[in-house]
Amino acid sequence: MTDATRTDEPDFQTLSITVTGDDRPGVTGTLLGALSGFGAEVLDIQQVVVQGHLTLTVLLRPGAKVEQLRDAAAVAAHRLGVDLRVVEGTGDNRRSRQGRAAVVVLGAPLRASAVSLVTSRIADHGANIDRIRRLSRYPVTTVEFDISGADVASLRTELALVATSEGIDIAVAPGGLARRGRRLVVLDVDSTLIQQEVIELLAAHSGREAEVAEVTARAMAGELDFEESLRARVTTLAGLPASVLDDVREAVQLTPGARTLVRTLKRLGFTVGLVSGGFIEIVGALADDLGIDHARANRLEIEDGRLTGRVVGEVVDRAGKARALREFAEQEGLPLSRTVAIGDGANDLDMLDIAGLGVAFNAKPIVQEQAQTSVNVPYLDSVLYLLGLSREEIEEADLDDGTPTQAPPVPHAGH
């Protein structure tokens, strides 16, 4: 590196030039064009546009041409009809501290009071907000804060209190390289990927749906042993013709945003898996339909074309789901830190706990209390925002592929 480009000495002169005003094409080019004839070095440049209002800042190493640069910037600003602020200083921007993290805030609506509390807690924690960007404006408003100087675990705990008091969702995840690269995303199925509980759809054919639904609710709330409750519920299916499985496959409804979530994850090169305490006869068909890489679930015993009321083999319970996530990660050559788990019931807790990012999706209270992150809006593709993707990026990818994109309905206030 030559002396002319060295920026590691702390006392070299700098010039910060900021323009603000109405955005339109050519502002950045005009300003930099006016500054280009003086041999100044660009050290940093950042621009943001909110509701058509532009803020553009250029940090320069001016050399000996400070006054000429000031005058040139003033002439360009006058020609553009924007406001100008020029500040002399020394040294480059301070290097960001260790402890990079991404704080993603989702709200429908996202009120100023909630954002105020989030930012105040970040400051009280001793962290600094380096950048802010909006990831979505519908069906929820999502804002990402890029911060430094954070202890992820303790900040996550502090912000969980804000999420509860303000009725918003907040995710805190390590930043930097930890936020990039290939991942394994594993989803629960019943009441997560799909809107129903498959065991209840099956039990409806035997006239015992209400009975089964009550037991399912208690099991998902962590009040009953999952394996014991599953075996008891499956006995209610004894004698049903195997053809009911076809009926249930037709009746299953995906959660809003499920196809968008899986389609986008696959475009990113991510691996997607399903792990369910339900039944592979349904889960396997869902995996095939969506192009999902891995699927694990219980298998129903069928004899002479009828369900026996028993399951075959080892039950996929709470521990089994976590075990499946580990095995999928090993098969893909990924550490657990590169995994994301999404679920709603108590039998998902071990899986959510060991994953690099565990997301409780419209989950039971016990799960929301223990999971790293909760999402309480009814759109499964909102999980993409937790990974740093914006709604615009998702929709642009759909347009490039010719995939029809339909805007989801804007939710009512609160959730």
Side-chain angles (χ1 to χ4, degrees):
M1 182 178 288
T2 65
D3 289 342
T5 58
R6 284 185 62 84
T7 57
D8 54 352
E9 65 271 27
D11 56 352
F12 67 90
Q13 186 177 25
T14 59
L15 200 65
S16 173
I17 298 174
T18 301
V19 297
T20 58
D22 293 337
D23 184 41
R24 60 183 183 279
V27 174
T28 305
T30 299
L31 177 64
L32 292 177
L35 304 175
S36 63
F38 302 97
E41 298 176 55
V42 175
L43 302 178
D44 195 0
I45 180 168
Q46 296 194 35
Q47 175 177 307
V48 64
V49 178
V50 177
Q51 198 68 18
H53 185 79
L54 166 77
T55 300
L56 166 65
T57 298
V58 183
L59 181 66
L60 300 172
R61 181 172 183 161
K65 307 287 182 65
V66 174
E67 291 307 318
Q68 293 96 318
L69 285 166
R70 279 180 174 273
D71 292 343
V75 170
H78 179 75
R79 189 179 354 150
L80 292 166
V82 296
D83 295 326
L84 174 71
R85 180 172 183 262
V86 180
V87 178
E88 293 186 44
T90 57
D92 199 348
N93 298 324
R94 288 182 303 171
R95 180 172 295 181
S96 295
R97 296 176 293 171
Q98 298 296 312
R100 301 215 59 82
V103 176
V104 179
V105 181
L106 301 84
L110 182 59
R111 303 188 188 281
S113 57
V115 177
S116 173
L117 279 174
V118 170
T119 55
S120 295
R121 292 294 181 275
I122 291 173
D124 293 344
H125 180 77
N128 186 68
I129 299 172
D130 299 325
R131 291 183 182 83
I132 305 173
R133 65 170 179 146
R134 184 181 71 180
L135 298 180
S136 74
R137 63 181 178 84
Y138 71 88
V140 295
T141 301
T142 309
V143 178
E144 180 185 61
F145 299 86
D146 181 11
I147 69 174
S148 57
D151 178 271
V152 170
S154 62
L155 183 60
R156 182 182 287 146
T157 300
E158 293 175 26
L159 291 181
L161 300 175
V162 176
T164 300
S165 67
E166 297 300 307
I168 59 176
D169 298 323
I170 303 175
V172 182
L177 287 179
R179 201 154 169 77
R180 296 175 172 82
R182 188 167 70 92
R183 298 196 192 197
L184 164 68
V185 180
V186 175
L187 298 97
D188 170 49
V189 177
D190 293 18
S191 299
T192 301
L193 181 73
I194 64 174
Q195 299 179 50
Q196 305 105 318
E197 294 283 335
V198 166
I199 184 70
E200 295 172 15
L201 294 177
L202 288 167
H205 289 269
S206 64
R208 301 177 69 175
E209 180 180 9
E211 172 190 342
V212 168
E214 180 182 357
V215 177
T216 298
R218 294 182 64 194
M220 292 303 98
E223 298 174 7
L224 300 174
D225 175 76
F226 180 81
E227 179 174 351
E228 183 179 332
S229 72
L230 176 71
R231 293 189 185 279
R233 285 175 287 162
V234 171
T235 61
T236 68
L237 310 179
L240 287 176
S243 60
V244 299
L245 295 170
D246 296 326
D247 297 333
V248 169
R249 290 186 195 101
E250 292 295 322
V252 162
Q253 295 179 323
L254 292 172
T255 298
R259 285 192 183 276
T260 300
L261 171 66
V262 175
R263 181 172 63 241
T264 305
L265 292 174
K266 298 298 289 182
R267 284 175 178 151
L268 290 169
F270 289 11
T271 301
V272 184
L274 300 180
V275 178
S276 176
F279 310 108
I280 196 64
E281 292 83 0
I282 308 301
V283 173
L286 287 167
D288 291 342
D289 176 48
L290 295 170
I292 287 172
D293 306 278
H294 302 279
R296 183 166 302 177
N298 300 300
R299 186 175 296 278
L300 292 165
E301 185 179 69
I302 300 173
E303 292 181 354
D304 299 324
R306 292 188 176 273
L307 304 185
T308 66
R310 297 185 293 270
V311 293
V312 179
E314 185 177 0
V315 167
V316 179
D317 57 5
R318 176 169 168 169
K321 286 190 169 188
R323 189 160 50 249
L325 184 145
R326 288 183 185 276
E327 291 175 10
F328 294 167
E330 288 175 4
Q331 291 172 31
E332 297 297 328
L334 291 170
L336 287 176
S337 61
R338 305 296 307 164
T339 65
V340 179
I342 308 166
D344 75 298
N347 64 330
D348 296 313
L349 279 170
D350 287 2
M351 176 176 74
L352 299 181
D353 182 58
I354 67 170
L357 175 63
V359 181
F361 179 74
N362 292 307
K364 311 303 182 288
I366 188 175
V367 183
Q368 294 199 43
E369 291 169 6
Q370 297 185 38
Q372 302 170 22
T373 298
S374 290
V375 172
N376 290 295
V377 295
Y379 312 107
L380 192 55
D381 55 341
S382 296
V383 172
L384 294 168
Y385 309 144
L386 306 185
L387 304 179
L389 276 74
S390 71
R391 170 58 60 180
E392 288 77 10
E393 290 170 328
I394 297 165
E395 293 183 350
E396 284 173 6
D398 282 343
L399 286 173
D400 289 343
D401 280 359
T403 304
T405 299
Q406 182 176 357
V410 177
H412 296 295
H415 55 282

